[in-house]
Amino acid sequence: MRASEAVEGYLAHLSDVRRLSPATVRAYRSDLADLVSHLGDPALDAVDLDELREWQWQASKAGQAKSTAARRISSVRGFFAWAKDEGILDADVSLRLVSPKRGRTLPSVATADTLASVLRSAEEAARDGDPIALRDHALLEMLYGSGARVSEICGLDLDDVDHERLTVRLRGKGDKERVVPFGVPAERALQAYLVRGRPVLRAARTDVTADTSPSRSRGTASRAVFLGARGGRVGSRAVHLLVTRTVGDSIGVDALGPHALRHSAATHLLDGGADLRTVQEILGHASLGTTQIYTHVSTERLRDAYRLAHPRA
């Protein structure tokens, strides 16, 4: 079997069996397509460890970040392990690939005061009733208020929101569901958008086809909470740009990632006294170790405050 053919089988497995998100599958596709291109699409059982190491070395020589290299190797290992399990390969040659050690980097977060200012500005912009401004205010409040991933917020349907209990049902990685709370400010912004903004955006939709946005494979735009300017389900890229534009200037665009509000929400929960297990459940982390990075963020902020304020620091 050619390597490219095996890759397509593996990607179908990730999507249909393991039910990974479209964004995750795209990342695997990109990594494995680069490998196939480097190798020249040989028969998969002809690929050896030296060729994999050469591919790894070429990327390293080009200045590839350690985090990217580690992800690419993880993609290759997953692919070859699947191929062996499926009987396509007799042996998994990727087992001896060594991932570079990644230094732990702390996520960028905004202070609570900074985010309060950002959200006040978004609220002010929405007061004239512009549907996009109403939507953007609700998006920012929900992202920060629930600690949700951008893709999870983009994928929200109307029946996922419980306005009485102030909870929202999110579908995370691996299509796992969780129900998390959100606050009164987010509910006010969401209601204003649903009453005054969403109907206007919905009316802008000119076609009646089902929404096939990669943000959510299920549902149509008629059920989506957050809509784009053309009336379809809003995409992750649009939300990333919104977060960058509104929060980026406050904490530094270069350091800003797509999860800026999620990172900030987690850190502020811990600062406010929430226990680590609760934060883990809200964020939907499979491992408590993933959540623990936020304890380091909080500790750094305590140290900074101590150095500035304590006479014996």
Side-chain angles (χ1 to χ4, degrees), residues 48-60:
D48 60 28
L49 179 61
D50 287 340
E51 289 175 308
L52 296 181
R53 285 174 171 167
E54 172 68 17
W55 171 70
Q56 181 183 8
W57 179 78
Q58 289 287 352
S60 175

Side-chain angles (χ1 to χ4, degrees), residues 210-260:
D211 182 4
T212 57
S213 165
S215 300
R216 182 71 158 270
S217 58
R218 75 179 189 95
T220 64
S222 63
R223 298 167 58 191
V225 172
F226 293 108
L227 303 179
R230 297 182 180 179
R233 188 184 295 273
V234 72
S236 295
R237 178 171 173 77
V239 182
H240 290 175
L241 292 173
L242 169 64
V243 174
T244 300
R245 186 178 72 248
T246 55
V247 188
D249 290 341
S250 302
I251 64 175
V253 172
D254 289 342
L256 180 67
H259 294 317

Side-chain angles (χ1 to χ4, degrees), residues 106-120:
L106 300 182
S108 299
V109 300
T111 66
D113 289 342
T114 294
L115 284 181
S117 176
V118 167
L119 294 170
R120 278 195 301 270

Side-chain angles (χ1 to χ4, degrees), residues 98-164:
V98 178
S99 294
K101 291 185 178 180
R102 290 182 288 180
R104 170 167 278 191
T105 57
L106 300 182
S108 299
V109 300
T111 66
D113 289 342
T114 294
L115 284 181
S117 176
V118 167
L119 294 170
R120 278 195 301 270
S121 296
E123 184 178 12
E124 288 287 339
R127 282 186 178 167
D128 64 359
D130 177 74
I132 295 296
L134 286 163
R135 183 206 65 186
D136 289 350
H137 180 214
L139 269 168
L140 292 170
E141 287 281 9
M142 287 297 292
L143 282 167
Y144 180 49
S146 67
R149 299 176 178 92
V150 170
S151 60
E152 293 169 346
I153 287 293
C154 292
L156 280 183
D157 282 343
L158 293 170
D159 56 4
D160 290 329
V161 184
D162 188 328
H163 296 280
E164 183 177 343

Side-chain angles (χ1 to χ4, degrees), residues 6-18:
V7 165
E8 290 303 318
Y10 179 55
L11 295 174
H13 168 78
L14 296 180
S15 178
D16 301 337
V17 179
R18 292 183 56 187

